[in-house]
Amino acid sequence: MNILFALLSGLVFGFGLIVSGMTDPAKVLGFLDLGGAWDPSLALVMGGAIAVGLVAFGIAKRRTVSFLGLPMQMPAARQIDRRLVLGGLTFGVGWGLAGICPGPALVLLGRGLPQGVIFVVAMLAGMALFEILERRKSKTPIVFHQPGRSPS
Amino acid sequence: MTIDWAGFTPYSALAGGLLIGLAAAIFALFSGRIAGISGIVGGLLRPKGGDIAWRVAFVLGLLAAPWVFATVAPLPVSRIDAGTGTLIVAGLLVGIGTRYGAGCTSGHGVCGLSRLSPRSLVATGAFMAAGFATVFVVRHLFA
């Protein structure tokens, strides 16, 4: 049942990305281009998504199990550290270069666009590099600071 | 700043946003998890028992979305101006950055802000600022 809801959620998410214009990198770059002819559309995408999200996560916060009886696994990490900021900045530079973030990348791949294939392969390589660096670090015997990671 | 009124699509943007919110709501309330794409995909590279199937299902839903969509309405255009080199560099940065920052536009930008998480607000501010700055440099400093 959980698998079915994950599939449905991915599908609806993909529909939202397509309808909103997020899968058109030229439009995304139009939003990020404050110095040119600015297209404010994507602010409304965020606004619409957060309007629904505020209600949903408000309900989620008061529950310990989901409607399917599964444990609620909301992120517990609280600390605002260098990792969070540098990671966000790095992601933002990549986003600004191509106008593609992870969700739309997968939709472009699903469409079979060669650019989608190239981007997703590179993105997976970046994620794999992170895993390798993390694994190497976790072998270091002294850990002064254990950064929390949220599943987002 | 000038506004691109011709390119401004408020209704489809809002409708798409509501759908994205709905997807995040379904995932949070039924699966009990954050619909963060980079985290869902990244978790596949760190396999744990019982943790694979739902990730694969979510990704399959995203991959299938354009096909299912095309049966209902024509797919909107996806104009990609970036060349192969740019796509590779951008993809690498997005991959490593979203994992270090523990989230992307969906996990921090949509779910995190909806949860009123200060951590996600900082992350969203960081990637938005870097996105704005990058486009400014590429389009207006080097153009």
Side-chain angles (χ1 to χ4, degrees):
Chain A
M1 206 53 174
N2 183 29
I3 307 293
L4 206 67
F5 276 99
L7 182 73
L8 176 73
S9 179
L11 195 65
V12 175
F13 206 108
F15 264 61
L17 291 173
I18 293 167
V19 171
S20 66
M22 291 291 295
T23 60
D24 181 5
K27 189 169 181 67
V28 174
L29 293 178
F31 169 72
L32 291 176
D33 188 8
L34 289 176
W38 187 54
D39 176 359
S41 306
L42 297 199
L44 288 171
V45 180
M46 283 288 250
I50 291 170
V52 179
L54 279 171
V55 179
F57 287 101
I59 298 168
K61 195 155 67 177
R62 284 194 289 274
R63 298 181 62 96
T64 49
V65 291
S66 76
F67 294 162
L68 294 179
L70 296 163
M72 277 292 177
Q73 302 194 43
M74 295 294 133
R78 311 275 319 155
Q79 66 273 50
I80 293 163
D81 49 18
R82 203 173 56 168
R83 244 174 113 85
L84 179 80
V85 176
L86 287 181
L89 290 173
T90 307
F91 161 45
V93 172
W95 191 35
L97 283 177
I100 305 171
C101 54
L106 292 174
V107 175
L108 296 174
L109 173 69
R111 265 181 95 156
L113 296 175
Q115 295 100 323
V117 180
I118 296 166
F119 187 92
V120 170
V121 169
M123 181 176 86
L124 290 174
M127 290 178 168
L129 186 64
F130 164 82
E131 291 297 334
I132 292 164
L133 294 172
E134 282 298 281
R135 232 162 274 177
R136 187 172 297 172
K137 204 169 74 177
S138 66
K139 283 187 190 131
T140 317
I142 306 159
V143 178
F144 291 105
H145 167 66
Q146 190 67 58
R149 210 177 296 115
S150 55
S152 47
Chain B
M1 182 200 288
T2 52
I3 297 209
D4 177 15
W5 291 112
F8 186 44
T9 51
Y11 302 112
S12 56
L14 197 58
L18 293 173
L19 279 171
I20 293 169
L22 177 67
I26 293 171
F27 205 52
L29 294 173
F30 286 89
S31 297
R33 288 180 181 273
I34 295 285
I37 314 296
S38 59
I40 292 173
V41 175
L44 286 171
L45 301 173
R46 188 189 301 175
K48 268 189 295 184
D51 200 36
I52 305 290
W54 66 268
R55 293 180 191 271
V56 172
F58 191 99
V59 170
L60 281 179
L62 271 174
L63 292 173
W67 295 90
V68 180
F69 189 92
T71 63
V72 193
L75 278 172
V77 282
S78 291
R79 210 185 91 204
I80 306 169
D81 296 327
T84 305
T86 306
L87 286 169
I88 292 172
V89 174
L92 279 169
L93 292 174
V94 168
I96 197 158
T98 51
R99 294 303 282 148
Y100 266 107
C104 59
T105 344
S106 50
H108 281 312
V110 173
C111 298
L113 294 189
S114 296
R115 292 171 58 242
L116 308 174
S117 153
R119 207 171 122 80
S120 289
L121 184 65
V122 169
T124 305
F127 70 69
M128 297 278 287
F132 287 132
T134 303
V135 172
F136 186 79
V137 168
V138 170
R139 289 201 174 168
H140 304 289
L141 291 188
F142 287 133

